[in-house]
Amino acid sequence: MIEAKISPKLMTFSEFLDWKPENSCYELHKGVVIAMQPKGKHEEISGFLAVEFACLFRQKNLDYFLPKQAIVKVLNENTGYLPDVLVVDRNVLEEEPLWEEYSTLTKGKSIPLVIEIVSSNWRDDYLTKLRDYEEIGINEYWIVDYLGIGGSRYIGNPKKPTISIYNLIDGEYQVKYFRDNEKIKSLTFPELELTVNQIF
């Protein structure tokens, strides 16, 4: 994913929501607008995962959906992310004050699962977003590191392509790592039948 800063002027989160063009890929990081442009393999993986989850939801008659442009607002009022894959629980959307007008989520209970696909900005996924998603209470967070470029303290040494699944247990994320032909184990969606190699 290519990141580019758009404006030297810092924005509040409200200003960002009013400014953000429709069908665009922007995030707000501590008041700085960042343009997000995924590369080919990144898009391939996010598309594959979105289809797999959509099929699972239909087969199991689950009341979840996968928005394409929804923003996740974190506790820092001037930060909002556009996840690569975002699972939303339709049953709690009425509690989301920014959903109808801005397609923005503010509560962890609205988001059973979020997925970020790692690219050159890997520190955002392993450090910043990990902390922020934990703080707002998102139940499950996947970091899909298909290039194996995350820090060795996160994916081990030697570095290998890895999927890290963080589950919120007693208010803190606990992590499990999956590599090669290992079957993914999602606590939120245990019916999911995928291996790491299928995803990569």
Side-chain angles (χ1 to χ4, degrees), residues 40-91:
K41 185 68 172 176
H42 188 286
E43 284 287 87
E44 187 180 335
I45 291 171
S46 67
F48 174 80
L49 286 168
V51 168
E52 291 296 315
F53 277 104
C55 289
L56 175 68
F57 300 158
R58 178 168 287 181
Q59 289 168 359
K60 301 295 181 183
N61 200 27
L62 301 173
D63 210 8
Y64 299 117
F65 69 100
L66 302 147
K68 289 178 64 177
Q69 296 291 318
I71 296 288
V72 176
K73 179 186 181 295
V74 298
L75 293 181
N76 173 337
E77 66 180 86
N78 294 323
T79 296
Y81 302 127
L82 180 67
D84 293 305
V85 179
L86 177 64
V87 176
V88 176
D89 185 342
R90 189 175 274 113
N91 296 307

Side-chain angles (χ1 to χ4, degrees), residues 64-133:
Y64 299 117
F65 69 100
L66 302 147
K68 289 178 64 177
Q69 296 291 318
I71 296 288
V72 176
K73 179 186 181 295
V74 298
L75 293 181
N76 173 337
E77 66 180 86
N78 294 323
T79 296
Y81 302 127
L82 180 67
D84 293 305
V85 179
L86 177 64
V87 176
V88 176
D89 185 342
R90 189 175 274 113
N91 296 307
V92 292
L93 279 180
E94 63 186 28
E95 298 176 36
E96 286 286 357
L98 300 174
W99 176 251
E100 284 301 321
E101 189 171 353
Y102 295 108
S103 299
T104 296
L105 301 163
T106 62
K107 301 176 186 308
K109 68 180 179 176
S110 303
I111 307 165
L113 185 142
V114 65
I115 299 174
E116 297 287 359
I117 300 168
V118 175
S119 48
S120 58
N121 59 335
W122 64 266
R123 286 177 178 82
D124 286 345
D125 300 320
Y126 283 103
L127 294 167
T128 313
K129 291 181 181 180
L130 176 70
R131 178 201 64 219
D132 290 340
Y133 291 156

